[in-house]
Amino acid sequence: MIQIPRGTKDILPTDSSKWQYIEEVLRETCRNFNYKEIRTPIFEQTELFVRGVGDTTDIVNKEMYTFTDKGDRSMTLRPEGTAPAVRSYIENKMYGDPNQPIKLFYQGPMFRYERQQKGRYRQFEQFGVEAIGVEDPLIDVEVISLLLDIYKSFGLEKLELHINSIGDFESREEYQKALREHFAPSIGEFCSDCQSRLDKNPMRILDCKTDANHPLMKTAPNIQEYLNDASKEYFEAVKETLTKMGIGFVVDPNLVRGLDYYTHTAFELMSSAEGFGAITTLAGGGRYNGLIEMLDGPSETGIGFGMSIERLLLALEAEGIELPTDDTIDFYLVTMGEVARTEASVILHRLRTNGYRADMDYKARGMKAQIKDADRKKAKYMIVLGDSELESGKIHVRNMETREEVEANLDSFEEEVNFDEA
Ligand code: HAM
């Protein structure tokens, strides 16, 4: 038997209504904040991620699904949504649109060849937003508050917002220098990836999974001490506005994020719910001031975040929250005899055309089995259709919850039923 690839999953019909409910909330929140959807391809030229995400990151080095297409071009299944959104922003000259900033959201499958564990998959459904075209602490705060709105609208409470500033390029340069000095004398004790990161990008040593417990990790210099005045001021303004909004946060100087494009504000939303599992990050994001230029665009800046629906579902489970999904149907038609079956299918057509959810038995089962089926399909009302009903044009509509029955006309019962009672 052929099995599903490792690290992927089927979303079964019994679960899909949860996903649809979540997706609707995500879209609704974006509508409130005036973010518009962008849909980009699932694969892009490999170079987009190598340059955008960074060639010393784990994503690019170890986790990409890269293939050569029949035209001998290197393509990659997108591991994240920011680089594609920025590619499209540049290619479609959105920077010239009078409607600024450009506020985008996206949702779709992303692919990373990672070791499968709870909350970590090789194909996951990532939702994200990007606000491109302004550098202003207020837009940073807007993006963070959008993120929190999403999680709070599901009733989640055990949330912890971690924020940090990675500073501007000047501050980052200074910090990278300090990191090099810190790690250089003992770099021989680190993995080969870290050894090559020392020169190229020492910040990536900090999120190495292999050497996470090396004592030098704990004593590494702290970015906060290398922020220049402009970076400090920017970060202060972000923190101040968050506080005014009543959004609580923890400043986490170790938060450097695993992608190269970040400057200034970086943040992660963690779950503090018991039993969430080893990976507690629900969402992550930050400001990227160099990315657009790095991808040959104008000197515009942006900020955004990404989150997977899988981890949101884990958080809901950990906090014992049931989503108010509705998989009920309005009517179930129980039929007795061939003539009734055909007539029922005609009535079903009428009901569905008029916007009612309705179903019947297609397996020619006995009456008892059909009534069971009506229950299983969560019907609000059930109607028994036999020869006498067809002859008289009168039927009984049974409320499945109260078991009460009312008489109604076969050709208009849906208008006679009081749905408020169900
Ligand atoms: P990221 O931290 O790599 O950032 O991923 C963001 C979120 O995607 C994670 O917090 C997690 O919810 C989800 N995620 C990532 N990898 C997996 C996985 N293997 N399985 C399940 N969920 C996963 C980015 O992707 C940036 N593009 C975020 C961003 C947008 N920064 C600025 N704008």
Side-chain angles (χ1 to χ4, degrees):
M1 191 181 72
I2 298 172
Q3 289 179 336
I4 192 167
R6 190 188 288 262
T8 67
K9 73 215 155 289
D10 296 316
I11 298 164
L12 300 173
T14 39
D15 276 337
S16 53
S17 58
K18 278 193 216 161
W19 284 74
Q20 288 163 354
Y21 178 85
I22 289 172
E23 288 163 10
E24 191 38 54
V25 171
L26 295 173
R27 277 158 209 276
E28 186 61 35
T29 312
C30 285
R31 273 194 287 272
N32 293 347
F33 281 75
N34 201 22
Y35 283 64
K36 304 248 157 66
E37 186 176 12
I38 181 167
R39 299 187 190 194
T40 61
I42 282 174
F43 62 94
E44 297 268 1
Q45 291 188 45
T46 302
E47 201 192 339
L48 173 67
F49 303 110
V50 174
R51 274 165 62 189
V53 176
D55 60 358
T56 52
T57 59
D58 271 359
I59 294 182
V60 169
N61 276 334
K62 301 179 187 165
E63 297 168 1
M64 293 209 300
Y65 280 90
T66 297
F67 62 97
T68 307
D69 74 3
K70 292 196 195 308
D72 224 18
R73 300 173 205 93
S74 180
M75 296 291 170
T76 292
L77 299 184
R78 60 181 184 195
E80 60 103 50
T82 308
V86 166
R87 195 253 325 123
S88 176
Y89 167 87
I90 299 168
E91 200 166 345
N92 294 295
K93 300 192 173 55
M94 290 185 215
Y95 46 83
D97 191 321
N99 193 358
Q100 294 291 329
I102 299 292
K103 303 208 284 189
L104 308 169
F105 79 87
Y106 49 82
Q107 189 214 307
M110 308 283 162
F111 305 84
R112 297 186 193 178
Y113 192 82
E114 296 199 81
R115 211 165 49 83
Q116 185 187 2
Q117 64 187 103
K118 201 174 170 188
R120 186 168 276 158
Y121 310 96
R122 292 185 176 167
Q123 175 176 334
F124 57 97
E125 192 74 6
Q126 195 187 54
F127 166 86
V129 312
E130 312 292 346
I132 312 178
V134 281
E135 184 177 10
D136 180 341
L138 292 185
I139 197 90
D140 296 29
V141 172
E142 174 176 290
V143 166
I144 294 173
S145 65
L146 196 171
L147 172 65
L148 279 154
D149 252 34
I150 288 173
Y151 284 83
K152 295 219 165 120
S153 60
F154 292 107
L156 288 162
E157 284 171 357
K158 300 196 170 123
L159 302 169
E160 214 170 80
L161 174 66
H162 287 216
I163 63 170
N164 192 23
S165 171
I166 299 179
D168 58 13
F169 292 111
E170 190 187 80
S171 313
R172 229 166 82 164
E173 272 302 297
E174 286 304 305
Y175 181 53
Q176 303 258 45
K177 222 192 280 169
L179 284 175
R180 260 182 219 115
E181 280 164 17
H182 176 76
F183 287 112
S186 318
I187 197 66
E189 297 164 18
F190 285 75
C191 71
S192 58
D193 285 332
C194 284
Q195 294 184 11
S196 70
R197 286 166 178 152
L198 183 72
D199 255 356
K200 284 204 254 172
N201 192 355
M203 253 166 82
R204 289 284 74 85
I205 297 178
L206 298 174
D207 44 55
C208 175
K209 288 171 192 136
T210 322
D211 293 317
N213 295 322
H214 193 287
L216 280 186
M217 291 291 207
K218 285 199 184 70
T219 55
N222 176 337
I223 179 83
Q224 293 291 316
E225 284 155 27
Y226 295 85
L227 296 184
N228 59 17
D229 288 346
S231 303
K232 273 188 201 148
E233 209 176 291
Y234 196 95
F235 194 38
E236 282 310 311
V238 171
K239 288 189 288 186
E240 214 174 281
T241 317
L242 283 174
T243 306
K244 275 192 186 147
M245 276 186 179
I247 295 177
F249 56 85
V250 181
V251 175
D252 178 354
N254 294 324
L255 196 158
V256 292
R257 310 274 301 125
L259 300 85
D260 273 353
Y261 45 62
Y262 293 111
T263 51
H264 289 291
T265 319
F267 55 91
E268 284 186 358
L269 188 68
M270 329 287 272
S271 168
S272 53
E274 247 172 75
F276 186 76
I279 301 171
T280 54
T281 308
L282 296 172
R287 171 159 283 284
Y288 41 88
N289 281 4
L291 178 64
I292 299 161
E293 272 179 286
M294 209 148 71
L295 296 174
D296 303 323
S299 59
E300 295 290 353
T301 65
I303 177 158
F305 69 78
M307 55 172 273
S308 65
I309 296 185
E310 288 83 351
R311 288 196 197 167
L312 169 59
L313 282 164
L314 286 177
L316 291 167
E317 198 185 308
E319 291 199 33
I321 294 172
E322 289 278 336
L323 296 176
T325 54
D326 177 12
D327 48 6
T328 58
I329 58 169
D330 300 317
F331 295 104
Y332 186 97
L333 306 188
V334 172
T335 52
M336 290 183 302
E338 264 319 296
V339 185
R341 270 165 56 78
T342 309
E343 191 56 32
S345 73
V346 176
I347 295 170
L348 274 188
H349 181 65
R350 181 185 88 208
L351 293 172
R352 291 162 173 169
T353 310
N354 290 326
Y356 294 96
R357 302 176 186 178
D359 215 343
M360 66 181 268
D361 165 65
Y362 284 106
K363 289 181 80 85
R365 283 175 283 206
M367 176 124 158
K368 246 189 174 160
Q370 290 189 50
I371 294 173
K372 237 187 191 167
D373 196 35
D375 259 331
R376 211 173 15 233
K377 291 199 163 70
K378 299 186 187 147
K380 291 178 190 157
Y381 294 100
M382 185 189 82
I383 288 148
V384 178
L385 214 56
D387 291 343
S388 64
E389 282 83 5
L390 292 179
E391 234 166 73
S392 66
K394 296 275 179 209
I395 50 148
H396 287 92
V397 182
R398 181 195 290 190
N399 181 320
M400 295 296 278
E401 209 178 274
T402 62
R403 302 276 147 178
E404 274 168 30
E405 288 197 1
V406 288
E407 204 187 58
N409 291 306
L410 184 56
D411 53 10
S412 59
F413 62 87
E414 64 274 29
E415 289 153 25
E416 296 166 35
V417 166
N418 182 1
F419 270 90
D420 290 342
E421 277 177 6

